[in-house]
Amino acid sequence: MSFMEWWDGFWATYNTVIFSIGVNAMLALSIYVTLSCGLLSLANAAFMGIGAYTASLLTMQYDLPLPIALAAGGVLPSLVALVIGIPTLRLSGVYLAMATLGFGEVVRVIVLNLDITGGPMGLNGVPPLTEWWHIVLILGVTIYALARLRRSKTGRAFEAIKEDEVAARLMGVNVAGYKLLAFVIGAAIAGVAGGLNAHFTFTIGPNNYGFENAVDILTMAVFGGTSNLIGPMIGSTILSLLPEVLRHFKDFRLAINGLILILVVLYLPKGIWDPRRIRGFLGRNAEQAGKKVK
């Protein structure tokens, strides 16, 4: 068997998994933005759904090119985030989580009752326009933009708000404005991810963007670690691959998945990728190696 034949077979079997890794990485990064500002929001699944339906309707009904549809799929969730964020972001912690979760349910019920969205049946026959390089390109641009943001004045303001909101306000940081900015950026990323996802799954429905999906997005970021950009991508990759890796365990797959998550939460509370813990571990090993040499 030639390499090309092997690659064609591999791609035909696993292309959906590979696409899912890229989309899930974007979703994990979308909630990383809000978490970096100290916001526990569960609205990203709803923003993903808004982006998915917007992009799909534009390509199906109006035959618009994918880039324009994806742009609209990012803009509309941003506008919605701007509208609901002004009153909602006055809340914090579990109250904010409950409010944004309620918003997600409102979006799901609206989609269920609209004819243009296909109601409970959703949209079928979404054109398969997403290519692998679309996801790689958009994910790369997202990572670059967030890395620049992290090192900017805005990123430092996010970190200050996350560490101590009262102290940040006393230092002159516009807490409400920066929180709203983080919320809007996260919504835009989730919306574009939804548009990309819709155009390789061919069908979307309101139940694809409910409570379970909101928790999954949060889990991917927390599982990998939210101290930097690497953690959410590691978490999303592992949790995207786990169902495929554990496929042969059948009925025990969900139990093993849950056990892995419990162990990480118990023993790695800051996620798998914690630079401070890794540096400490490497430092201890270097110190022990130095003692052995002596």
Side-chain angles (χ1 to χ4, degrees), residues 33-201:
V33 177
T34 53
L35 289 172
S36 69
C37 200
L39 298 174
L40 181 58
S41 168
L42 293 176
N44 289 49
F47 293 139
M48 178 188 182
I50 294 171
Y53 274 99
T54 301
S56 299
L57 288 171
L58 289 177
T59 54
M60 293 175 69
Q61 302 289 340
Y62 302 101
D63 200 27
L64 291 179
L66 182 62
I68 296 177
L70 291 178
V75 169
L76 186 58
S78 301
L79 296 176
V80 174
L82 189 64
V83 172
I84 69 165
I86 294 172
T88 304
L89 296 182
R90 296 176 183 176
L91 303 172
S92 61
V94 67
Y95 300 105
L96 176 61
M98 292 171 63
T100 51
L101 183 60
F103 161 73
E105 285 302 297
V106 169
V107 170
R108 190 178 69 85
V109 171
I110 291 174
V111 170
L112 275 170
N113 290 278
L114 286 178
D115 292 333
I116 192 173
T117 59
M121 300 301 294
L123 295 177
N124 296 299
V126 180
L129 301 176
T130 299
E131 300 286 349
W132 66 267
W133 62 268
H134 292 147
I135 296 179
V136 171
L137 176 62
I138 295 175
L139 179 59
V141 170
T142 303
I143 293 170
Y144 175 76
L146 292 181
R148 292 291 301 269
L149 179 70
R150 179 182 169 86
R151 293 191 295 268
S152 68
K153 177 183 176 182
T154 301
R156 292 192 293 272
F158 284 178
E159 189 66 26
I161 295 169
K162 178 182 178 181
E163 292 298 326
D164 193 327
E165 183 177 323
V166 175
R169 185 177 286 109
L170 292 174
M171 292 171 61
V173 175
N174 183 358
V175 173
Y178 281 117
K179 280 186 173 183
L180 188 60
L181 177 62
F183 197 55
V184 169
I185 292 173
I189 297 172
V192 173
L196 286 170
N197 182 72
H199 286 88
F200 77 79
T201 57

Side-chain angles (χ1 to χ4, degrees), residues 243-262:
E244 187 65 29
V245 173
L246 301 176
R247 182 174 55 180
H248 299 294
F249 290 91
K250 297 181 180 178
D251 297 336
F252 299 99
R253 185 176 66 187
L254 292 177
I256 295 173
N257 195 350
L259 179 62
I260 292 172
L261 291 177
I262 291 171

Side-chain angles (χ1 to χ4, degrees), residues 32 220-232 235 270-273:
Y32 157 82
M220 287 187 290
V222 175
F223 181 79
T226 57
S227 58
N228 55 36
L229 293 171
I230 298 175
K270 293 188 176 181
I272 293 175
W273 187 262

